[in-house]
Amino acid sequence: MFQLLLLAGVVLGGYIVLTQTLFKRSRCKGTAAVAGKTVIVTGGNTGIGKATALHLARRGARVVLACRNRDKAQSAIADIEQETGSTDVVYMHLDLASLKSVRCFAETFLKTESRLDLLINNAGLVADGQTEDGFGIEFGVNHLGHFLLTRLLLERLKESGRGRVVTLASMAYRWGRVDVEALAASKHLGTGTYSWQFFQAYCNSKLCNVLFTHELAKRLNGTNVTCYCVHPGIVHTELSRNVSLWQKLFIEPVARLLFLDPEAGAQTTLHCALQEGIEPLSGRYFSCCAAQEVCARGRDDATSRRLWEVSERFCGLS
Ligand SMILES: NC(=O)c1ccc[n+]([C@@H]2O[C@H](COP(=O)([O-])OP(=O)(O)OC[C@H]3O[C@@H](n4cnc5c(N)ncnc54)[C@H](OP(=O)(O)O)[C@@H]3O)[C@@H](O)[C@H]2O)c1
Ligand SMILES: *[C@@H]1O[C@H](CO)[C@@H](O)[C@H](O)[C@H]1NC(C)=O
Ligand SMILES: *[C@@H]1O[C@H](CO)[C@@H](O)[C@H](O)[C@H]1NC(C)=O
Ligand SMILES: *[C@@H]1O[C@H](CO)[C@@H](O)[C@H](O)[C@H]1NC(C)=O
């Protein structure tokens, strides 16, 4: 009997500690008006991106869902419009695993949309493989596609006044390594068919997101455009769709018990998009709706500059 009570106490205590740390919730209190403004959300058809798009649509923004699959995007738009009453959510095709598709998206967007206020680089994946252009898929989609997209849309963000770029990173950046010279030679940051190998490549790509934001902030100094990167929390989404079956069996019960839902997972992104007065924090890493310190690797000036240069070269921009 006593042992049972002790066990129950330990389990409950553990649960409380976890929900106050790794699985802590927060709420965006930002109130910047977005009516009349235009937002792009990459990967806005599901998960955190869809919850973000829904919230911004509810507040009256024009929301462009930049997705690779028309049917999934149309069905997300139907859900969002039904739930918010908005009629200003549109689909534009974007496959971040193809630099040609990124250029095509930017061209269409710049031709058809007169302004851009918020660019939310949200799409991401954990998987093995290569992009159309031969880059490691996680580096290519999570970092490089978004790098080119941001570069091509930066002028429009500047024209619209106080534009913001919000990039979804992850606390997984802490386990990441970016060897830019090896990257320049091989076009990937780790490969391998085992889950742990592509999880390492995922962490590396998320460190790229942090370094990209660090460098972008410097390059935006003197403009009114700012940028932020985000750890959204640990969120129950489709992100684990490409991990192995036995890992899914392990993740799923924990996910149901502890993970945040996408609505809670969108709060820090929304904070970086809507909170007034955070402009002096441009370039920083946010989680739980607050700026956090990053470890030295995430703010290394030399690496972030080299990563920028190599990314430009990969994209044919230099
Ligand atoms: N979930 C978490 O616990 C967690 C933690 C830290 C960071 N994050 C980050 O949060 C972001 C959103 O993830 P999520 O959890 O919401 O995952 P998700 O439910 O799997 O959604 C990912 C989105 O990215 C899109 N995408 C994937 N590859 C793409 C490509 N080549 N071109 C265009 N879109 C592409 C997906 O489109 P399809 O539906 O067509 O595949 C989907 O819309 C990611 O950057 C992820 O790294 C998530
Ligand atoms: C922006 O430029 C100013 C003046 O040139 C400098 O003091 C400041 O540190 C710069 N900020 C960043 C984030 O680089
Ligand atoms: C930035 O915004 C301020 C205040 O609105 C304005 O005075 C300034 O000209 C803007 N700077 C640029 C580079 O657009
Ligand atoms: C990931 O899984 C999805 C659905 O299970 C599949 O369609 C897709 O091809 C996989 N992606 C990669 C890069 O392995």
Side-chain angles (χ1 to χ4, degrees), residues 91-233:
Y91 160 71
M92 276 189 204
H93 184 262
L94 169 68
D95 181 356
L96 288 156
S98 156
L99 295 177
K100 185 162 155 246
S101 172
V102 175
R103 288 184 177 282
C104 200
F105 172 90
E107 203 176 299
T108 309
F109 181 89
L110 293 172
K111 220 184 289 166
T112 57
E113 298 287 328
S114 58
R115 60 182 300 137
L116 176 61
D117 300 280
L118 284 168
L119 170 60
I120 303 190
N121 291 326
N122 164 86
L125 83 177
V126 182
D128 178 43
Q130 284 194 352
T131 68
E132 191 180 283
D133 312 282
F135 296 100
I137 189 119
E138 292 160 314
F139 170 75
V141 170
N142 301 357
H143 167 71
L144 195 63
H146 283 127
F147 173 85
L148 178 59
L149 181 68
T150 307
R151 279 292 311 265
L152 297 176
L153 298 177
L154 220 43
E155 280 312 310
R156 188 57 50 90
L157 279 161
K158 288 180 188 166
E159 288 161 20
S160 305
R162 315 194 151 268
R164 291 185 182 185
V165 181
V166 182
T167 300
L168 274 279
S170 166
M171 67 176 285
Y173 91 86
R174 291 162 193 260
W175 301 295
R177 292 264 183 289
V178 173
D179 178 342
V180 185
E181 302 323 315
L183 169 70
S186 68
K187 296 172 84 171
H188 64 73
L189 279 172
T191 53
T193 46
Y194 292 109
S195 299
W196 63 267
Q197 289 172 317
F198 61 80
F199 183 67
Q200 179 63 55
Y202 174 76
C203 298
N204 300 345
S205 75
K206 292 286 129 179
L207 177 55
C208 289
N209 293 145
V210 175
L211 291 167
F212 163 68
T213 302
H214 180 72
E215 182 69 21
L216 180 61
K218 290 201 223 169
R219 290 173 187 251
L220 288 172
N221 198 357
T223 75
N224 284 324
V225 180
T226 54
C227 61
Y228 314 90
C229 65
V230 167
H231 169 61

Side-chain angles (χ1 to χ4, degrees), residues 250-286:
F250 173 74
I251 293 172
E252 202 50 31
V254 185
R256 281 171 194 272
L257 199 63
L258 283 167
F259 284 21
L260 308 186
D261 61 18
E263 157 74 14
Q267 297 303 313
T268 302
T269 301
L270 292 169
H271 175 81
C272 291
L274 299 173
Q275 181 63 48
E276 275 143 348
I278 60 171
E279 291 81 5
L281 301 173
S282 183
R284 299 281 299 275
Y285 167 89
F286 285 68

